[in-house]
Amino acid sequence: MNKNANQIKQRLSLREPLKDSLDILAQLSGELSLKKDADLATELKIVQEHYPKVSDFERDFPSICFSIATGVGKTRLMGACITYLYLEKGIRNFFILAPNLTIYEKLMEDFGNPAYAKYVFSGIGEFVHNKPVIITGENYAQLGGLFRDSEVRINIFNVAKFNSDNKGTKKGGIALAPRIKRLSEYLGQSYWSYLTELDDMVILMDEAHRYHADQSKKAINELKPVLGIELTATPLDEKGNAFKNVVYEYSLAKALEDGKYVKNPAIATRKNFRAQGMSADEIEKIKLEDAISIHQDTKAELELYSRNTGAKLVKPFVLVVCRDISHASDVHQYMNSDQFYGGQYKGKVLQIDSSTKKDEEIDRQFVELERYENEIEVVIHVNMLKEGWDVSNLYTIVPLRAANASILIEQTIGRGLRLPFNGERTGVDKIDKLTVIAHDNFESVIAEAQNPNSVLNKMTFITLDEDELRPKTELVFSPSLTEVAFSREEKVIAKIEDQAKRSQAQFGLNARRAIVHFIPSVGKMEGVNSLADLQKPEVKQMVMHKVREQVFSGQTDIFAEEEYKAAYEAYDKLVSNYQENVIEIPRIDLVQDEARAWFEDFDLFTELGFNFNPLSEEIMIVELTGERRTDSIGVIHGAFRRDSAANQVVAELVNYPEIDYDECSELLFKLTGQALAYIQSKQEDAEKFALVVKQYRKHIAREIYKQMRTHFRISDREYSKPKVWSFVKIEDWNFNALPNSKRHYKDVITPVSLIPKLVFTGFEKAGHLEYKFDSKTEKDFAYILENDKDVLKWLRPAQNQFRIYWANNSRQYYPDFVVETADCIYMVETKAADQMESAEVLDKKKAAETYCNYASEYTAEFGGKPWRYVLIAHDEVSVSRSFGYFIN
């Protein structure tokens, strides 16, 4: 296993398909010559030994192709390849081809801007102080230092620019060469010639199927690179022929099957939909209306996810694919009118095709759609999709009047499979799903899905209930009780007619709101160990200083100083009220340590697997003139290996990925010594023993490794001892709900399946005024808490209230309830009785109990209440029981 490749995988956090691809590059680059004008037949044979399906490089230089589905991370793989070839082979010159302006501009950011979130070299220490020089179509003539040996040079060019720049321009009746091939005054030679003379140029082709036309091939061949690396999701040339140089394939079908790196595409139809008797226009309108219903639901879910997790805001959009430009124009006019959702989408519908935009403008427009501030929510487009349009916020696709719906869907879904949150699934079904509306073609699409060669057989099929399509959910914002009181006061202030008095009152409210806003940040200050410390004079001074800076800075109003004094005097009472309305929750970031891996000590069993006999080694001599004779002479040994026998075997052992030399060198030499002692005992003399070790060192290492594997151990991931802060703010609750869905928590709801769809109010002890419940069990438990005299306060924690991680830090634990009594604070989880001993429940229980232990240690030191975790089976919960029943 290659050390540099392993380090790059870890540093760049490569996904499995990208790791496999990098391993292939490491393997082949170690055997190919990586020289200009290498013998292609010899190089091809080397590749075919490992990948027999490769029949031709299809270029004048060795070139290998990685076929990887859109959204998996081809750009990141390019960064990994460049890093590896630099670190392992010392290659410093790279040339990246971009198929269009959009991808060209993306690549310049990805490779050249360390501040960019998707910078491909993040984590590569060697590039921190020796940042690669990015040379583009705009700066190649101005950049100095092109001939320095210390830097890595990455040329990024738009293929259209370098292949046809200045096309048609003439001087004196003679056509000029493209600008990149003209002489550069700075270099004293054409930049193109400079590139072709480099003896370590590696070319990387993004969307490689765009460079298989004759003109592209010719231009690329002129570069004379030592290696080509091609990346594409569709390894077919312009004539539909499959590439002959694919060494690795991770197809869209495989990505969908793995369910990790792309959205889950679903084909949807309306339940009991019948197209018979409907005109094409009527069918289209129904499909568009249903698409908007799904779009609105997805939009609400995305906003809710962002509010609850702090993730970036993502606005989804709908792609409507039309037959032709005339059809697109009609659909645009309809969706942009009062007839469609009462004009709700006026100004939010965009028609993009060759009649409205040039290709480069279309590319830019699609990139702009990812900005949350962009008002466009529907894009109407003619069936002419291409690379660069696979944005991450496309969630709903509506193919209209498709001659072959199955083919159109297969071609279309790739445009919407990218995931918006760091390219990872969130676990929220509606956020991880791409929906294609196919009412009138549903049956034919399902039939095509039976074809094992169709990507459609990896898709899910859903039916939309007409009753559920109509209601629109709305985002419900349930703030903490303190914020509720401020909001009520703000409404009263708004009714004051006298402007001066209204301004004075608003200043006072703003000041008190600012005090509450700063309180949670105080919890991370040295010397503040509990909410009670907010009463300390020095803490009060610090908070009020921040309030003055935020609310009153620059104010010349005559009431400003007066209101500041009023806020200062109100501080103690405000803090006291704050304490009464919240549960004091310590801030603990609970994360798991890395798992420790090791080999247990043992003695090698040498009776099997270590019986080797030396092979004869001869030099064969064949006379090529006169009478053909063959002769041989024996090899005289003595200088074939300078390393000791033990070092030869250990050098092979450390190639196995689990073996870390620094961690287990003592065991390696012990086991190797035992193996060699046994082998030496079977040999007649030292020369034969040395010959056996030379010839069989890989086999000896393999037999040792087989036994080591049975003694390989991995520890459970324990929790790191966390830093504990005294308290955090009570986070606001956000959830989606149907209009007019509020009920009192004492109401009896039938059927109980309606409970998750309703919002419940009427709470007096809770941390918020409104909650949703996932089950009748949770609703009943809330009833118990509200009506138990021993319960002082309780709340349903918002998703980001706690930072408790489990499942190797891949998932976050959200407890159902937090309950405060006179002498203790409880973290409570209700669970189905048959799941109480499941692995998932027990793992979460371990995480929660760990949090409670650390919280109790902290509060014991500073006079707070202990924490305790309680897990309750659903069949134990009854409104007739007290909270004490569960904790006793």
Side-chain angles (χ1 to χ4, degrees):
M1 189 62 64
N2 187 282
K3 183 178 179 181
N4 276 327
N6 280 340
Q7 288 181 345
I8 292 168
K9 292 176 196 175
Q10 294 169 1
R11 292 177 185 178
L12 297 183
S13 301
L14 295 184
R15 295 166 175 170
E16 289 304 322
L18 307 185
K19 290 180 181 179
D20 294 341
S21 300
L22 185 62
D23 284 337
I24 291 171
L25 175 71
Q27 177 191 54
L28 293 179
S29 65
E31 299 181 31
L32 295 170
S33 67
L34 300 183
K35 292 181 179 179
K36 273 188 179 300
D37 302 319
D39 182 72
L40 286 184
T42 303
E43 302 287 87
L44 183 61
K45 188 175 180 181
I46 291 171
V47 175
Q48 287 175 329
E49 286 178 2
H50 301 286
Y51 307 99
K53 290 184 179 180
V54 175
S55 60
D56 194 345
F57 291 134
E58 301 190 86
R59 303 191 186 277
D60 293 349
F61 53 89
S63 188
I64 56 176
C65 176
F66 298 96
S67 174
I68 299 177
T70 296
V72 176
K74 294 192 292 293
T75 305
R76 201 157 190 79
L77 176 59
M78 284 197 286
C81 291
I82 289 173
T83 305
Y84 177 80
L85 291 172
Y86 166 64
L87 295 178
E88 184 75 15
K89 299 296 179 181
I91 292 176
R92 299 176 183 275
N93 291 286
F94 300 90
F95 196 102
I96 300 177
L97 292 176
N100 57 43
L101 184 62
T102 304
I103 294 180
Y104 172 59
E105 292 176 346
K106 283 182 180 179
L107 290 175
M108 287 193 291
E109 280 284 282
D110 291 337
F111 285 88
N113 184 2
Y116 184 46
K118 296 180 181 179
Y119 181 58
V120 296
F121 298 124
S122 291
I124 304 300
E126 289 81 356
F127 288 158
V128 172
H129 300 294
N130 185 26
K131 189 165 75 76
V133 176
I134 306 301
I135 304 163
T136 70
E138 284 68 45
N139 68 10
Y140 70 86
Q142 289 79 39
L143 273 179
L146 290 172
F147 299 102
R148 285 208 309 266
D149 290 333
S150 61
E151 65 194 10
V152 176
R153 296 173 283 275
I154 302 175
N155 299 269
I156 304 175
F157 283 88
N158 179 352
V159 66
K161 179 175 285 292
F162 89 77
N163 203 26
S164 60
D165 195 11
N166 284 335
K167 182 179 180 181
T169 303
K170 294 185 177 182
K171 185 175 183 180
I174 301 174
L176 292 177
R179 179 162 60 93
I180 194 171
K181 295 185 180 180
R182 296 206 309 273
L183 291 179
S184 164
E185 294 180 5
Y186 183 84
L187 294 174
Q189 60 174 326
S190 77
Y191 188 62
W192 187 260
S193 296
Y194 159 71
L195 291 174
T196 61
E197 291 170 7
L198 293 170
D199 60 6
D200 66 342
M201 172 66 75
V202 170
I203 186 166
L204 298 98
M205 292 163 261
D206 194 12
E207 305 294 353
H209 55 278
R210 299 287 293 275
Y211 319 120
H212 269 252
D214 291 340
Q215 282 300 106
S216 294
K217 276 188 177 182
K218 182 179 178 182
I220 292 169
N221 286 336
E222 288 178 17
L223 275 171
K224 302 176 184 177
V226 299
L227 178 66
I229 299 173
E230 305 181 27
L231 300 103
T232 179
T234 52
L236 300 170
D237 65 18
E238 74 282 0
K239 297 176 182 177
N241 300 316
F243 283 15
K244 299 176 181 179
N245 62 340
V246 176
V247 293
Y248 179 79
E249 182 174 15
Y250 187 77
S251 65
L252 176 56
K254 185 68 171 76
L256 294 176
E257 184 179 316
D258 289 349
K260 294 179 181 178
Y261 313 120
V262 294
K263 293 191 188 103
N264 174 34
I267 305 295
T269 189
R270 185 182 288 195
K271 189 176 182 180
N272 301 321
F273 182 80
R274 290 177 60 83
Q276 290 85 346
M278 290 187 183
S279 67
D281 188 57
E282 288 173 325
I283 293 173
E284 284 187 359
K285 288 182 177 178
I286 291 174
K287 290 171 72 172
L288 292 172
E289 288 172 3
D290 290 353
I292 293 299
S293 294
I294 293 171
H295 166 69
Q296 290 176 339
D297 191 41
T298 305
K299 184 179 176 182
E301 284 291 336
L302 282 164
E303 185 173 354
L304 178 63
Y305 179 80
S306 296
R307 281 181 175 270
N308 285 338
T309 64
K312 66 177 182 179
L313 287 166
V314 173
K315 180 188 291 182
F317 76 94
V318 179
L319 178 66
V320 181
V321 185
C322 294
R323 182 185 61 250
D324 52 39
I325 292 174
S326 176
H327 183 207
S329 180
D330 291 341
V331 174
H332 177 265
Q333 186 175 353
Y334 168 64
M335 297 188 77
N336 212 36
S337 70
D338 290 329
Q339 299 174 28
F340 188 73
Y341 276 83
Q344 185 178 336
Y345 285 86
K346 278 186 175 181
K348 299 180 181 179
V349 183
L350 181 69
Q351 180 183 349
I352 300 182
D353 53 52
S354 58
S355 70
T356 63
K357 302 280 182 181
K358 294 180 180 178
D359 274 1
E360 290 188 356
E361 292 174 339
I362 294 174
D363 293 339
R364 293 179 186 276
Q365 190 73 53
F366 263 83
V367 172
E368 283 290 300
L369 287 170
E370 285 193 309
R371 290 194 309 111
Y372 182 78
E373 298 77 16
N374 194 312
E375 293 184 356
I376 300 302
E377 296 189 44
V378 179
V379 173
I380 299 172
H381 192 30
V382 175
N383 193 17
M384 49 182 285
L385 298 168
K386 63 179 184 179
E387 300 86 2
W389 294 0
D390 42 359
V391 290
S392 63
N393 59 329
L394 172 55
Y395 272 91
T396 312
I397 299 175
V398 192
L400 297 181
R401 302 190 198 179
N404 189 322
S406 303
I407 292 176
L408 177 58
I409 290 170
E410 284 208 35
Q411 293 174 343
T412 305
I413 60 170
R415 306 282 72 86
L417 288 178
R418 286 190 187 275
L419 292 159
F421 300 104
N422 299 318
E424 298 174 354
R425 290 193 177 183
T426 63
V428 180
D429 177 63
K430 292 179 181 178
I431 295 178
D432 296 336
K433 181 164 63 183
L434 170 70
T435 304
V436 182
I437 306 295
H439 292 1
D440 48 335
N441 300 106
F442 194 70
E443 298 300 329
S444 64
V445 173
I446 289 180
E448 178 63 19
Q450 308 306 312
N451 179 357
N453 296 320
S454 172
V455 72
L456 298 181
N457 64 23
K458 305 296 182 185
M459 301 177 72
T460 57
F461 296 86
I462 58 178
T463 57
L464 309 171
D465 193 310
E466 188 171 357
D467 293 334
E468 294 182 357
L469 282 169
R470 294 296 163 251
K472 299 176 185 176
T473 59
E474 58 187 17
L475 186 65
V476 177
F477 174 59
S478 183
S480 64
L481 296 182
T482 305
E483 180 56 36
V484 169
F486 286 146
S487 297
R488 288 172 178 168
E489 185 177 348
E490 197 162 41
K491 291 178 181 178
V492 173
I493 292 173
K495 295 178 181 178
I496 299 175
E497 294 184 0
D498 186 287
Q499 183 175 353
K501 291 182 178 180
R502 187 169 66 248
S503 177
Q504 183 180 8
Q506 188 64 50
F507 267 127
L509 175 62
N510 291 347
R512 282 178 282 121
R513 188 174 253 155
I515 291 172
V516 171
H517 171 76
F518 286 121
I519 284 175
S521 63
V522 175
K524 297 179 73 171
M525 287 179 52
E526 290 293 330
V528 178
N529 303 309
S530 69
L531 281 172
D533 290 342
L534 291 171
Q535 305 286 0
K536 290 181 177 178
E538 62 271 24
V539 175
K540 180 178 180 179
Q541 291 295 336
M542 188 277 299
V543 173
M544 293 310 299
H545 176 71
K546 287 182 175 290
V547 171
R548 182 184 284 278
E549 283 185 338
Q550 177 171 309
V551 180
F552 297 97
S553 177
Q555 292 292 335
T556 58
D557 193 292
I558 59 173
F559 298 113
E561 191 61 31
E562 183 180 336
E563 286 306 315
Y564 174 78
K565 291 178 181 178
Y568 191 92
E569 293 170 1
Y571 176 91
D572 295 333
K573 183 178 179 180
L574 193 63
V575 166
S576 179
N577 289 338
Y578 182 85
Q579 289 177 262
E580 291 176 6
N581 287 324
V582 302
I583 297 176
E584 197 164 339
I585 298 175
R587 162 71 181 270
I588 301 175
D589 290 345
L590 194 65
V591 296
Q592 293 173 300
D593 281 326
E594 290 296 322
R596 189 174 70 87
W598 74 98
F599 290 96
E600 289 184 334
D601 189 25
F602 70 99
D603 290 316
L604 199 69
F605 181 74
T606 55
E607 298 302 317
L608 291 175
F610 292 96
N611 293 299
F612 302 105
N613 292 310
L615 300 173
S616 62
E617 294 191 335
E618 297 178 326
I619 299 173
M620 305 300 297
I621 304 173
V622 179
E623 294 185 8
L624 301 179
T625 59
E627 183 182 349
R628 299 293 295 272
R629 294 189 303 119
T630 301
D631 198 3
S632 65
I633 60 174
V635 175
I636 300 174
H637 299 293
F640 59 75
R641 194 82 184 184
R642 292 186 177 182
D643 288 344
S644 68
N647 283 345
Q648 290 180 52
V649 176
V650 170
E652 298 297 334
L653 279 168
V654 296
N655 286 328
Y656 290 101
E658 300 94 333
I659 296 177
D660 185 317
Y661 178 83
D662 294 332
E663 291 288 332
C664 55
S665 59
E666 186 175 339
L667 178 63
L668 293 178
F669 279 101
K670 169 189 167 181
L671 299 176
T672 299
Q674 292 174 347
L676 295 178
Y678 176 82
I679 295 168
Q680 192 168 23
S681 71
K682 301 295 182 180
Q683 302 304 320
E684 300 173 1
D685 55 46
E687 184 173 327
K688 285 189 175 182
F689 167 69
L691 188 58
V692 165
V693 175
K694 174 204 168 188
Q695 292 175 337
Y696 293 103
R697 61 187 184 277
K698 290 182 182 290
H699 300 278
I700 298 169
R702 185 180 63 198
E703 294 301 321
I704 295 173
Y705 173 67
K706 284 181 183 178
Q707 295 189 37
M708 288 182 69
R709 280 194 308 180
T710 65
H711 296 272
F712 185 61
R713 303 289 181 265
I714 300 179
S715 67
D716 291 334
R717 296 184 70 166
E718 298 299 327
Y719 284 95
S720 308
K721 184 175 179 60
K723 170 70 176 174
V724 182
W725 287 279
S726 53
F727 55 84
V728 294
K729 68 173 287 191
I730 301 301
E731 298 290 342
D732 298 328
W733 252 99
N734 307 286
F735 42 79
N736 289 322
L738 298 174
N740 304 315
S741 62
K742 293 185 180 180
R743 301 288 188 274
H744 196 280
Y745 78 91
K746 291 184 178 181
D747 290 350
V748 177
I749 306 299
T750 56
V752 296
S753 59
L754 288 175
I755 288 175
K757 300 178 182 180
L758 303 175
V759 177
F760 292 91
T761 64
F763 307 110
E764 296 181 5
K765 295 182 181 180
H768 307 82
L769 292 183
E770 298 173 335
Y771 285 129
K772 286 186 75 176
F773 300 109
D774 296 327
S775 64
K776 182 177 183 296
T777 300
E778 291 182 353
K779 177 180 176 296
D780 288 349
F781 195 74
Y783 181 97
I784 294 170
L785 298 178
E786 270 294 303
N787 293 279
D788 191 310
K789 60 180 176 58
D790 292 329
V791 173
L792 303 180
K793 290 174 276 189
W794 68 275
L795 62 85
R796 274 177 66 71
Q799 276 196 5
N800 53 345
Q801 185 67 66
F802 289 91
R803 294 172 174 82
I804 301 174
Y805 294 88
W806 65 289
N808 297 328
N809 296 324
S810 65
R811 299 175 68 183
Q812 208 169 338
Y813 173 56
Y814 308 116
D816 290 336
F817 298 91
V818 175
V819 184
E820 182 173 356
T821 64
D823 57 3
C824 191
I825 298 176
Y826 299 88
M827 183 183 289
V828 182
E829 181 85 8
T830 59
K831 216 69 187 173
D834 61 354
Q835 297 178 16
M836 294 288 282
E837 296 300 320
S838 70
E840 179 176 320
V841 169
L842 294 178
D843 283 349
K844 290 195 282 189
K845 178 184 178 183
K846 178 182 178 181
E849 288 180 336
T850 304
Y851 175 94
C852 290
N853 289 338
Y854 281 120
S856 296
E857 284 181 14
Y858 182 86
T859 55
E861 183 178 354
F862 298 107
K865 296 178 182 179
W867 280 70
R868 180 180 164 194
Y869 181 69
V870 183
L871 181 62
I872 303 171
H874 84 282
D875 54 7
E876 291 286 334
V877 177
S878 168
V879 294
S880 63
R881 288 182 170 153
S882 68
F883 181 64
Y885 170 86
F886 302 106
I887 62 175
N888 291 329

